[in-house]
Amino acid sequence: MPKTITAKEAAQMIKPHSRVMFSTFLVVGAAEQLIDALVEENVKDIHMITIATDYDDKGVGKLITNKQIKSVQCSHIGTNRSTQAQMNAGELDVELIPQGTLMERIRAAGAGLGGILTPTGVGTIVEEGKQKFTFDGKDYILEMPIKADFAFIKAQKADKHGNLVYYKTARNSNPAMAMAAKITIVEVDEIVEVGQLDPENVVTPGIFVNYLVKSEVKEC
Amino acid sequence: MPKTITAKEAAQMIKPHSRVMFSTFLVVGAAEQLIDALVEENVKDIHMITIATDYDDKGVGKLITNKQIKSVQCSHIGTNRSTQAQMNAGELDVELIPQGTLMERIRAAGAGLGGILTPTGVGTIVEEGKQKFTFDGKDYILEMPIKADFAFIKAQKADKHGNLVYYKTARNSNPAMAMAAKITIVEVDEIVEVGQLDPENVVTPGIFVNYLVKSEVKEC
Amino acid sequence: MLDKKQKRIMIGRRIAEELNDGDFVNLGIGMPTEVANHIPLGVKVYFHTENGMLGVGPAPKPGEEDKDLINAGAGYITETAGASYFDSCLSFAIIRGGHLDMTVLGALQVDQEGNLANWMIPGKLVPGMGGAMDLVTGTKNVIISMEHCDKHGNSKILKKCTLPLTAAHCVNMIVTDMAVMRVTEKGLLLEEIAFWTNVDDVIKATDADLIIPEKVGIFGNQ
Amino acid sequence: MLDKKQKRIMIGRRIAEELNDGDFVNLGIGMPTEVANHIPLGVKVYFHTENGMLGVGPAPKPGEEDKDLINAGAGYITETAGASYFDSCLSFAIIRGGHLDMTVLGALQVDQEGNLANWMIPGKLVPGMGGAMDLVTGTKNVIISMEHCDKHGNSKILKKCTLPLTAAHCVNMIVTDMAVMRVTEKGLLLEEIAFWTNVDDVIKATDADLIIPEKVGIFGNQ
């Protein structure tokens, strides 16, 4: 049964050199209040795992703008000028990963796999330094799991067992990241009693969830 | 948009040497009317992929008892004496696969992966003849995708786009197998209009589904 | 000459003719989205967005946007009847697993072997590949939608791409404001030219070697 | 001497003491299921079944069975509040990914290195491994629940397994009708003996080398 904590308490778990997964797809599905709390705590030298670095002033981009991120594994930085500027200045180490490969590497970590073979990236700079395999005339590269110490997840609803459901395209990388971190912290709009979620419709079972943080309702 | 056909039409697509996935876990989640139709057609030399071979007179076991199966990839045959008898008599080729590995191999086929590395089976006869890898002191074996020509799937409800939902533990191997076959045929208890299923709760999107077969209501 | 908008419409309309009834399609950001405006009558297609949805509908009316309902380009979308939501793993399983019938993407460069470069210009612009590498690797029919030449008038269709590749040998068809070209085993086949140009001008505007068949079709003159 | 049922209860009760509040647990078929009947007061555990459910409840009342709600042994089960259903891929991702706290399984043989054989007897019985290989590879705490000796009186706890392994070095603890043993880096440690026997008899009944600590506990005398 996950413990309910505050965003500040969640942010305080993160230490320099923590590996943290941030679910977000251009801010949709981002745990924005956890991110804000982490900006507030101003912990430095974080390793970030995310699909995209969002915008300079929104989503996980805030952490980059605030120079809290030492390195990032992601698939897209085109919407965030800070990422590219810090990368060019040698302040931020960026590993760009095809999005499907990124997701499978995260899933592999959560699912206890030692790696996966994907055809994506064959014949490109993505294959550099990686083991290659050919089966039935098709080439694959070996990609390794991406694990994390923490995942900052956003869900629409959680029951008190930590079972989660998401809302529309805000689901994105949340379910995979929830599986892949040692400690999964979920920012959630609504916490309901056990029995209020239909067991058929649970997307992330509570076994993957360690902490819940209730979103504060903000003025729009 | 999947075409609605009869169980007989579905069974008639299967030819000798077809590779067919049968979702079932001790008959739960099995497309029993498709199986019965296939027994009726009496097509021989089928390659079967299933979690378990069920019982001599129930589920996919009927196909084995009827000697329609040339080879099977599965993880459990302990409930079906015919399987073991035919295996011992050299009539049936059985590849026993750890259940989690079986599922990942099926998923890999559906997800376009060239293989996965799993720790399951290391140090056992399962690793024989397979490539081994060691990362961070932990051993893994390379397991290859399992593809199929057809999947015989059972769902509770389908809408006319082929979106599927399942019922309780009858979900089991259905979603993975639905992804992994060239032609996926779904036996379904209820076909509803488009818009009747909540898009948040669809488990198998219609993109994986080629044909629907409406279950005949049977006397209990 | 056609203006930017006319070119975009002509290209989008031509690509839409490639759609078959029941196709599952992923459209890239920008010019490719134009395809959705020209679905032929009697053809029903289903749009996929890689952030996790099948059954993407058109942009919402102003004021009816849902901030958690976006496509891969962060544009607001709507939900059609029969839609489904799923997580990014399943979304890319769909893509990489070969379940999509068509993807339409823009390009920085394409070459006559079907190689594609559309994700970075070293030292200048590194947005990242996002989902593009998976899309062109996994999808059955990869169509490039772009202007024939860059803003300096240089051909974007080369003998050999010079920018880092998105994927090798992945492109099936290229549709530009000047021509429709298909990547074949023998090379790049000029199938059609736009109504406003001629074969010689297309050859001149193209760095790649073009195979010119006996009969070259015309498109865009509707 | 204890009868079969008494042994089963004693073993199940002792294993249940290993449960911590909030644990996620998978119980194998047969004797391991007894553990569920002895959950300590104040401890809440969640049962997983590998065919795709968390929050497995006790067997239904006669007449209330749902034919589509079974555990991995095809036994009818019920759904508890807060349960969830998922497909076999996610179920084994949970298992192999190390998300379960404990699994309790039977064995044909276990050895002092923690090797386990419980899925086949060559030439005799080949049921298949089912989910057992994944369960013992992935789960944090692997506990074997079985009778100390087979029906011929031979020790099932060996220096080295002779049957094909389910996994190597996977067992953490063995609980039998005679003893509680823990697999340690130094070997198999005899932690407790059953109330009705003595250390010498346990040593005699065990093929494996046992490490005998200064103080051996007693269990089963409730």
Side-chain angles (χ1 to χ4, degrees), chain A residues 25-26 28 55 75-78 84 96-100 103-104 118 120 124-126 167-169 171-173 175, chain C residues 51 66-70 72 74 79 85 87-89 92 96 119 124 126-131 133-134 165-166:
Chain A
F25 189 96
L26 303 171
V28 172
Y55 307 101
S75 80
H76 203 265
I77 60 172
Q84 191 145 344
L96 286 168
I97 303 171
Q99 197 176 330
M103 294 315 308
E104 282 297 316
T118 178
T120 303
T124 77
I125 59 175
V126 168
Y167 178 72
K168 303 200 186 251
T169 55
R171 189 183 303 196
N172 58 59
S173 58
Chain C
N51 47 324
D66 182 331
K67 77 171 186 48
D68 286 332
L69 185 49
I70 64 166
E79 177 187 297
Y85 297 100
D87 85 310
S88 302
C89 283
F92 280 87
R96 199 181 36 237
W119 73 280
K124 269 191 162 174
V126 189
M129 66 291 279
M133 285 192 178
D134 297 284
L165 295 186
T166 306

Side-chain angles (χ1 to χ4, degrees), chain B residues 75-77 84 87-88 96 124-126 128, chain D residues 106-109 116-130 132-133 161-166:
Chain B
S75 80
H76 203 265
I77 60 173
Q84 191 146 343
M87 180 176 77
N88 291 343
L96 286 167
T124 76
I125 60 176
V126 168
E128 284 171 15
Chain D
L108 296 165
Q109 300 177 337
L116 169 68
N118 75 350
W119 73 280
M120 74 174 288
I121 304 173
K124 271 191 160 173
L125 183 74
V126 189
M129 68 290 279
M133 285 192 179
C161 288
T162 56
L163 293 172
L165 295 187
T166 304

Side-chain angles (χ1 to χ4, degrees), chain A residues 8 13 39 49 51 53 55 89 97 107-108 112 133 135 143 145 162-163 165-166 171-172 175 203 205 216:
Chain A
K8 189 179 177 68
M13 292 185 201
V39 169
I49 298 143
I51 289 180
T53 54
Y55 307 101
I97 303 171
R107 179 183 181 276
F133 297 79
F135 304 121
E143 295 278 7
N163 293 306
V165 296
Y166 304 96
R171 189 183 303 196
N172 58 59
V203 178
E216 305 274 324

